[in-house]
Amino acid sequence: MTPIPGGRPHFTEGWGQDGPRTWRRDDPSVVDPSGAGFPVMSVVVPARNEAESLPQLVGEIASALRPLCADREDRRFRLGGFEILIVNDGSTDRTPEVLEGLRAAYPELREVRLRANVGQSGATAAGFRAAQGAWIATLDADLQNDPADLEALWRKLPGHDVALGWRVKRRDTWFRRVVSRWANRVRNAVLGQSIRDTGCSVRIFPRELALRLPLFHGSHRFLGPLLIREGARVVQSAVNHRARPHGSSHYNFRNRSFRVVVDLLGVSWLMRRPLRYEMVSAESPAVDHHRAEASARRYAEDRA
């Protein structure tokens, strides 16, 4: 992957002569904050009215990642643990009840419940902020993504910052396949990149990097380009794609075409307008809370 010129973090602390920090999978500093010595992964899954898919989805994620936590696993790829974050994006079906029933068998499972439906980008952003792991993986909740591919992407990460999946054999209608193929070509031409499948949700990247991304409605379709904007080194890997077994897609040509074009122009602008600065030092605040409270009371009394 060759990032477009200027594909650097939009803010950072302590840049040196060697350029911005990278978030390599083999960086020993990126480990479980609890001190176990191995990195922890948070699997973020936005879900709206996908109750029928959740039992199989959660079971397949656990089956894919639990072996990576075993003592016999190679230390280069071993996980200190993982969590499954189902971001309930204002579901009106039995999603909460289904998740409650799964907790006994899957202690790794957590629900992030949103007050109202905010869309996939908003739900994804909420998952980033609720995640506790040093690394984030993303999947769709409709079972078209194969959770087993997370293990393959994790094993490809050493020496890179980000692993992106690309769906070689799409299990969609011919119309969606054609639209997706042309959308990828247009995005890459406009952004000057070579991401094979920007719409694929199977990804792994550092949480620290995720929290730096400029997020907006529709940003979930541009996570790959935005990660490259941060200066990330990307590896791409073929992943499985399956037919949707339950329900129907929340997206159609009408609610994607015009918005995606507008979003693409916005992302193109963002790619060329990175904000960079180098922080030399920052003194720690020394706040006397009692004096601050007394000052606030005097101010309120004067205003009364």
Side-chain angles (χ1 to χ4, degrees), residues 39-263:
V40 167
M41 182 185 296
S42 298
V43 184
V44 174
V45 186
R48 174 168 170 77
N49 295 337
E50 299 285 0
E52 291 182 285
S53 302
L54 293 178
Q56 179 179 341
L57 176 67
V58 172
E60 289 184 350
I61 295 173
S63 296
L65 297 184
R66 281 177 176 175
L68 293 175
C69 302
D71 291 341
R72 63 179 178 276
E73 177 59 50
D74 189 319
R75 292 183 63 88
R76 294 174 299 166
F77 307 111
R78 184 175 170 186
L79 288 175
F82 67 93
E83 60 177 355
I84 304 170
L85 270 65
I86 304 297
V87 184
N88 182 353
D89 186 18
S91 295
T92 56
D93 62 359
R94 297 184 60 255
T95 290
E97 293 81 359
V98 170
L99 293 176
E100 184 62 32
L102 292 171
R103 285 196 176 92
Y106 304 102
E108 305 94 343
L109 178 62
R110 291 173 57 205
E111 179 187 10
V112 178
R113 190 179 304 184
L114 304 185
R115 187 179 301 277
N117 172 237
V118 297
Q120 189 168 348
S121 294
T124 300
F128 290 171
R129 284 156 178 77
Q132 297 179 330
W135 290 83
I136 285 179
T138 61
L139 292 171
D140 286 338
D142 57 12
L143 293 176
Q144 289 199 267
N145 297 150
D146 187 348
D149 288 318
L150 293 180
E151 178 190 1
L153 261 64
W154 181 247
R155 294 186 185 279
K156 286 182 176 293
L157 260 174
H160 303 87
D161 310 307
V162 173
L164 302 178
W166 60 285
R167 298 162 291 184
V168 180
K169 295 182 179 180
R170 295 283 300 271
R171 304 299 181 184
D172 285 321
T173 64
W174 69 268
F175 180 75
R176 293 192 68 179
R177 292 198 302 269
V178 170
V179 170
S180 178
R181 187 178 302 118
W182 278 102
N184 278 316
R185 291 176 180 175
V186 171
R187 284 174 184 152
N188 284 327
V190 172
L191 301 179
Q193 297 176 344
S194 55
I195 297 179
R196 295 175 186 251
D197 189 357
T198 56
C200 182
S201 296
V202 188
R203 317 176 187 94
I204 301 177
F205 45 89
R207 179 176 182 268
E208 182 181 355
L209 182 53
L211 295 178
R212 300 165 71 95
L213 299 180
L215 298 177
F216 49 88
H217 285 294
S219 61
H220 67 278
R221 302 187 187 98
F222 296 92
L223 286 183
L226 291 173
L227 289 164
I228 290 177
R229 179 182 184 267
E230 298 300 313
R233 295 184 300 175
V234 174
V235 60
Q236 301 184 72
S237 178
V239 296
N240 189 24
H241 192 243
R242 309 183 291 196
R244 184 185 178 102
H246 307 290
S248 58
S249 174
H250 301 299
Y251 300 106
N252 54 51
F253 184 75
R254 173 182 291 181
N255 67 17
R256 294 182 72 175
S257 56
F258 179 72
R259 294 178 184 178
V260 171
V261 171
V262 174
D263 291 344

Side-chain angles (χ1 to χ4, degrees), residues 17-38:
Q17 296 299 318
D18 296 331
R21 175 185 172 183
T22 57
W23 293 263
R24 296 189 308 275
R25 162 66 184 87
D26 52 352
D27 182 350
S29 67
V30 185
V31 296
D32 175 12
S34 69
F38 296 98

